[in-house]
Amino acid sequence: MGAIVNRQVRLVSRPRGIPQAEHFALATEPMPAPGKSEILVRNRYLSVDPAQRGWANDEGNYSAPVPLNSPMRALAVGEILESNAAEFHAGEFVYGWFGWQTYCVATPQAVLRRVTPSALPLSANLGLLGINGLTAYLALHRLGDPKPGEHVLVSTAAGSVGSFVGQLARIAGCHAVGLTSSAEKAALAQARYGYRRMINYRDTADLAGAIREACPDGNDVFFDNTGGPIADAAIRSMRLRGRIIQCGTAANASWTPVPTGPRPEREVLTRRLRWSGFIIFDHIAEFEEAATHLTQFALDGKIVHDEEILPGLEHAPGAIARLYRGENHGKLIIAVD
């Protein structure tokens, strides 16, 4: 029987904009062994997230670029095989920074959450109970401050975050309107994700007019995952003292040079808007509380969580590009086995 190897997906060249399959390569190395105060994790499921675009690029971001020829930075859920850290034990499942690889030696600081056993599938810890669901819950409630009867507009409404925002807005007693890129996704979001109305932004020549028609009374909260022309149009639908949550900028493929567009400051001033940026890792202390709420919503049938699981590490190199083309159906996940 041969030695156990660690299969990895490494970043081998630096993209400008959205990483493509050719920026990655499959590689193997001997299975690592944990050192003092470290744990050895056997990954089960790997996450594919929009933020990986920024981590692969060398442009300024809220975290350092992934070093070339190293495993792609990624969140994952896996089982602890060996532990030299007093606070963790073999057999526990954990969610954290374990990368696109089969095995990972990590410090306790790399663990974001212990996985609490429940009736939900293990993969739910990457979507509903991972940064997607946690972002939706914490950003909407901490920055959006939704109140019953208010109107919430959401970009990428059928995406891995937006699909939860619509449902959480409905649970909060709000009226949710979503923006998405196809008639198929619009129908899905309205049928499953809590949205009262949907707008296919690729099927309208006058996006601002389409938003006014769908939201004639204006919006109290705009949960924005895209920026760009969608944000330019949506800001003009905001009600007095509305709240804008800037959660992503997917509409901009690159920030070098800095893209230009309409100036929003007049709208911010005259409508007295509050425009806040949200980075999920600023809120790690609140993960358990949010995960508890989300788990109960799911067990009570108030939230659905859709996943698309790609079988095997060989699907990882093209997964980020697939995500940005909008081809995924639900949270995009790589199954290691």
Side-chain angles (χ1 to χ4, degrees):
M1 185 173 177
I4 299 175
V5 297
N6 184 25
R7 299 180 67 220
Q8 299 179 325
V9 179
R10 296 176 181 173
L11 181 70
V12 294
S13 62
R14 193 72 69 187
R16 291 199 59 181
I18 298 168
Q20 304 296 318
E22 60 264 25
H23 296 111
F24 301 94
L26 294 167
T28 60
E29 66 175 24
M31 187 177 79
K36 183 179 179 181
S37 300
E38 292 180 330
I39 58 175
L40 173 64
V41 177
R42 174 40 158 113
N43 285 329
R44 295 290 187 85
Y45 295 102
L46 312 177
S47 188
V48 183
D49 293 294
Q52 288 175 299
R53 182 186 73 175
W55 303 338
N57 279 260
D58 59 2
E59 300 173 0
N61 205 325
Y62 58 85
S63 58
V66 175
L68 291 179
N69 300 307
S70 67
M72 180 60 198
R73 181 183 301 142
L75 289 159
V77 62
E79 180 183 3
I80 298 177
L81 299 184
E82 297 181 45
S83 176
N84 294 326
E87 60 266 54
F88 291 103
H89 305 283
E92 286 188 286
F93 284 84
V94 285
Y95 167 67
W97 295 108
F98 309 139
W100 275 358
Q101 55 188 335
T102 306
Y103 298 95
C104 176
V105 165
T107 64
Q109 290 72 35
V111 177
L112 296 183
R113 284 186 57 243
R114 278 184 166 88
V115 173
T116 304
S118 75
L120 300 178
L122 183 62
S123 57
N125 289 277
L126 291 180
L128 175 65
L129 306 179
I131 61 170
N132 306 120
L134 296 173
T135 291
Y137 183 90
L138 292 169
L140 181 65
H141 287 282
R142 300 296 183 264
L143 302 185
D145 191 23
K147 300 175 182 62
E150 289 193 326
H151 292 68
V152 179
L153 180 67
V154 184
S155 60
T156 64
S160 55
V161 172
S163 61
F164 296 126
V165 176
Q167 298 180 80
L168 290 167
R170 179 193 59 201
I171 292 169
C174 298
H175 310 288
V177 173
L179 296 133
T180 192
S181 59
S182 71
E184 177 189 9
K185 289 188 175 184
L188 177 67
Q190 198 159 1
R192 285 181 64 78
Y193 302 149
Y195 290 95
R196 292 199 172 189
R197 297 193 66 178
M198 289 295 299
I199 300 167
N200 178 358
Y201 64 84
R202 288 182 176 165
D203 195 33
T204 177
D206 179 12
L207 182 55
I211 294 174
R212 284 194 301 272
E213 182 180 351
C215 314
D217 298 322
N219 292 293
D220 301 282
V221 179
F222 175 38
F223 196 112
D224 186 24
N225 295 296
T226 64
I230 289 175
D232 294 339
I235 196 171
R236 287 161 178 78
S237 77
M238 297 300 296
R239 284 178 165 179
L240 199 67
R241 295 183 177 85
R243 287 85 70 195
I244 299 173
I245 304 164
Q246 199 66 54
C247 193
T249 58
N252 298 291
S254 176
W255 288 90
T256 307
V258 176
T260 59
R263 304 291 182 184
E265 53 266 39
R266 182 72 175 173
E267 303 295 334
V268 175
L269 172 63
T270 59
R271 299 173 193 266
R272 288 77 141 181
L273 302 179
R274 188 176 75 207
W275 196 343
S276 305
F278 183 86
I279 300 295
I280 183 62
F281 304 114
D282 293 341
H283 302 266
I284 292 175
E286 300 175 272
F287 280 9
E288 282 307 318
E289 177 191 352
T292 299
H293 287 294
L294 291 165
T295 298
Q296 196 59 53
F297 288 151
L299 295 176
D300 291 343
K302 295 180 179 179
I303 276 186
V304 298
H305 54 104
D306 292 332
E307 301 174 342
E308 180 179 356
I309 300 179
L310 303 178
L313 276 173
E314 62 271 17
H315 292 278
I320 301 172
R322 177 186 177 90
L323 192 70
Y324 274 90
R325 290 194 300 268
E327 296 174 358
N328 56 300
H329 299 279
K331 167 64 182 175
L332 193 56
I333 295 170
I334 307 295
V336 175
D337 295 322

